[in-house]
Amino acid sequence: MTEHTLTVAGVAVDTRHWIGGERVASTETFTDVSPIDGSVLGEISRGTATEAAAAVAAAKAAFPAWAATPRAERARILHAVADGVEKRLEELAIVETTDNGALLRSHRRGVMPRVAHNFRFFADWLLKLEHEDFETRGHTNHVSWDPAGPSVLITPWNAPLMLATWKVAPALAAGNTVILKPAEWTPLTASLLADIAAESGLPAGVLNVVQGYGSEIGDALTSHPDVRRISFTGSVPTARRIAASAAANLTPLSLELGGKSPLLVFADADLDLAVDLAVEQYDNAGQVCLAATRFLVEESVAEEFTRRFVKKAGQLTQGDPRDEATDIGPNIHPRQLEKIDGFVQRALAAGACAVIGGHRKDAQYYAPTLLTDVAQDSEIVQEEVFGPVLTLQSFTDEDEAVRLANDTRFGLAATLATGDPERAERVTARLVAGTVWTNCFFVRDLQAPFGGSRHSGVGREGGTWSFDFYCDVKNTVTAPTGWRNHG
């Protein structure tokens, strides 16, 4: 291990920023800790306004050439990055698991392949991106997507590389240059991505990676006048701060924020399927923004649903995420564990009943929890916990189910279990959510729009929606030959 390199499960990771095609160290560092056992992984360069300015300058300098690069060449390079991800898939998986505590088996089989797919999908979508020309009084309208400029992408810790590349890939495909700021709790795979991108032929300055705290480097990035796009995934309070920071420059924002999504289970549902969907909400130790954390179950089947859920949840194995047999790993950080437990203990003090869980297991792990006897206006029902904590309420008819489902300030997703297709159509039409799943969960396609309603976000990304955000969409109107406009 050198001064600026740490080793994670045999994988060397550079702890410095990546700016303008070079590694850049900061005078100060912050400590990266594994959530698996609390062990110190290493000291990471801690960026400030100085590194932010350097990264934006590098992105600005690289932008004209990258924006002018033909679509086919940009796509070729993005496919090369995907190739690099696939070649280092095992390394990326073990580093990510060590850094954020999610299941190694999931990283190997699903998450890291999805990282490569993010690059391939947007590379291919770029090549078919078009809008059919149309006429207005004989004039031809032609729609084009012009690269917008340097883009700041601020990403969360719950799925670090997958969610980073969900932003990086379309931004690069669009012809923008990028400054990526990963979450300070999970910076390592972003550093590896910088290496892979450079090895794949991405020109210097097109992708820059800077590490540090939001209050120190994040504010400097989001307020910079040369930044033309900001995409953020994270909490509502941080989004407000970013929006205020960007306002002075009218920098366009895409915000994917928190959720308090419902799972509606009707009496005509396949209860075994509904229970499977419900138990799936403990995925990633409950640290999933889309998770349906509020179970709304029709009164006539609530008792049976609860019995089956308790039995199924009891079969889950919680432990070391590197073990193939583990179903639930640790929570990300002691601070997050304190937050989760605070929600639960306040709910219990207010009269909630813990059907299962309701307590920490140790310093890294929180017991999977289901709370009943909760009021609709209570904190535990209204606020995002971001841990393995679920609530259950009952309803008597469709109207009450929809009212309860929509009665929060969020609107990211909703899941519905019913055996009646007509009911499914009626209910989904009334739900306030960016994504609704019927008799399934977490089926995602990159060509679909993704984002939230209300306090769950601003804007949509995915497919053409991503290019609409990362580009300046332009309409060019051309008069027919020999035509003169006399007013």
Side-chain angles (χ1 to χ4, degrees):
M1 182 183 299
T2 67
E3 180 185 0
H4 298 298
T5 305
L6 57 84
T7 302
V8 179
V11 181
V13 183
D14 201 302
T15 61
R16 294 171 292 180
H17 313 284
W18 179 253
I19 300 174
E22 297 180 351
R23 288 292 176 179
V24 176
S26 296
T27 56
E28 300 292 328
T29 63
F30 63 92
T31 304
D32 188 27
V33 175
S34 174
I36 298 173
D37 54 12
S39 60
V40 173
L41 298 176
E43 296 297 317
I44 311 298
S45 280
R46 177 176 167 178
T48 63
T50 300
E51 288 80 10
V56 174
K60 183 179 180 181
F63 173 66
W66 181 244
T69 300
R71 285 188 178 189
E73 177 62 8
R74 294 206 302 264
R76 184 194 67 78
I77 293 174
L78 292 186
H79 274 291
V81 174
D83 292 342
V85 169
E86 289 172 348
K87 288 176 184 176
R88 300 188 67 178
L89 189 146
E90 181 64 23
E91 294 181 6
L92 291 166
I94 188 61
V95 170
E96 193 89 300
T97 290
T98 306
D99 205 20
N100 93 319
L103 301 184
L104 179 58
R105 72 173 192 235
S106 295
H107 281 140
R108 284 172 169 158
R109 300 170 193 170
V111 177
M112 294 308 158
R114 167 66 183 274
V115 168
H117 178 61
N118 284 345
F119 284 103
R120 296 199 192 284
F121 173 87
F122 285 106
D124 292 341
W125 199 265
L126 168 66
L127 296 181
K128 62 182 181 182
L129 182 67
E130 63 178 353
H131 189 292
E132 185 177 349
D133 288 353
F134 57 97
E135 288 194 1
T136 304
R137 298 192 301 278
H139 296 62
T140 300
N141 292 265
H142 176 73
V143 177
S144 59
W145 285 262
D146 293 353
S151 302
V152 167
L153 313 179
I154 303 174
T155 55
W157 45 258
N158 58 321
L161 192 58
M162 194 274 284
L163 291 177
T165 55
W166 155 254
K167 300 175 186 294
V168 169
L172 294 180
N176 292 358
T177 51
V178 166
I179 305 99
L180 171 63
K181 205 294 262 185
E184 59 267 27
W185 285 348
T186 53
L188 301 185
T189 50
S191 180
L192 294 177
L193 178 64
D195 294 335
I196 292 170
E199 293 163 4
S200 303
L202 193 70
V206 174
L207 172 65
N208 305 275
V209 179
V210 291
Q211 302 141 165
Y213 298 120
S215 59
E216 295 177 347
I217 193 168
D219 288 350
L221 289 171
T222 56
S223 63
H224 200 292
D226 290 332
V227 169
R228 297 311 315 138
R229 293 293 186 272
I230 299 170
S231 180
F232 168 73
T233 297
S235 70
V236 172
T238 302
R240 288 195 180 103
R241 183 169 180 172
I242 289 172
S245 182
N249 301 308
L250 296 180
T251 308
L253 295 167
S254 178
L255 304 173
E256 195 267 279
L257 310 177
K260 197 67 180 176
S261 302
L263 166 59
L264 294 83
V265 179
F266 287 89
D268 57 19
D270 178 336
L271 274 194
D272 286 333
L273 170 64
V275 168
D276 286 345
L277 295 174
V279 172
E280 195 174 345
Q281 308 312 313
Y282 288 133
D283 182 48
N284 201 20
Q287 299 168 145
V288 178
C289 58
L290 292 163
T293 57
R294 295 184 294 131
F295 299 165
L296 304 175
V297 185
E298 192 161 357
E299 192 172 56
S300 61
V301 295
E303 184 176 343
E304 178 63 15
F305 172 89
T306 303
R307 184 189 68 78
R308 296 191 197 186
F309 175 85
V310 170
K311 180 179 179 181
K312 185 86 173 180
Q315 297 169 359
L316 297 173
T317 299
Q318 188 170 25
D320 192 321
R322 297 166 294 192
D323 188 330
E324 280 282 316
T326 297
D327 300 304
I328 302 177
N331 288 100
I332 184 70
H333 193 277
R335 198 184 311 160
Q336 184 67 13
L337 211 69
E338 288 280 351
K339 178 183 174 183
I340 294 166
D341 194 49
F343 274 111
V344 173
Q345 298 312 315
R346 289 190 296 274
L348 293 174
C353 173
V355 179
I356 58 172
H359 57 83
R360 301 185 195 188
K361 292 188 72 173
D362 56 32
Q364 272 74 45
Y365 297 80
Y366 204 87
T369 296
L370 176 65
L371 301 176
T372 59
D373 300 327
V374 292
Q376 179 62 23
D377 62 354
S378 63
E379 177 191 54
I380 197 67
V381 169
Q382 293 293 325
E383 298 298 327
E384 185 178 45
V385 177
F386 223 60
V389 178
L390 312 171
T391 62
L392 189 150
Q393 299 164 271
S394 63
F395 62 84
T396 57
D397 56 30
E398 273 185 30
D399 286 342
E400 185 180 18
V402 171
R403 179 180 63 79
L404 293 173
N406 289 339
D407 187 22
T408 75
R409 63 193 174 106
F410 297 103
L412 187 56
T415 304
L416 172 67
T418 178
D420 183 345
E422 293 182 356
R423 166 175 279 149
E425 186 175 349
R426 287 195 305 270
V427 172
T428 56
R430 297 172 65 190
L431 294 174
V432 179
T435 300
V436 180
W437 288 286
T438 300
N439 294 326
C440 60
F441 176 67
F442 217 57
V443 178
R444 290 279 310 278
D445 192 309
L446 288 180
Q447 65 184 313
F450 181 73
S453 303
R454 298 174 174 168
H455 283 198
S456 286
V458 175
R460 296 291 184 270
E461 295 185 45
T464 301
W465 288 274
S466 284
F467 289 94
D468 288 345
F469 172 68
Y470 287 110
C471 293
D472 290 321
V473 182
K474 180 169 65 183
N475 185 44
T476 301
V477 184
T478 303
T481 303
W483 187 90
R484 295 182 64 190
N485 184 1
H486 295 288

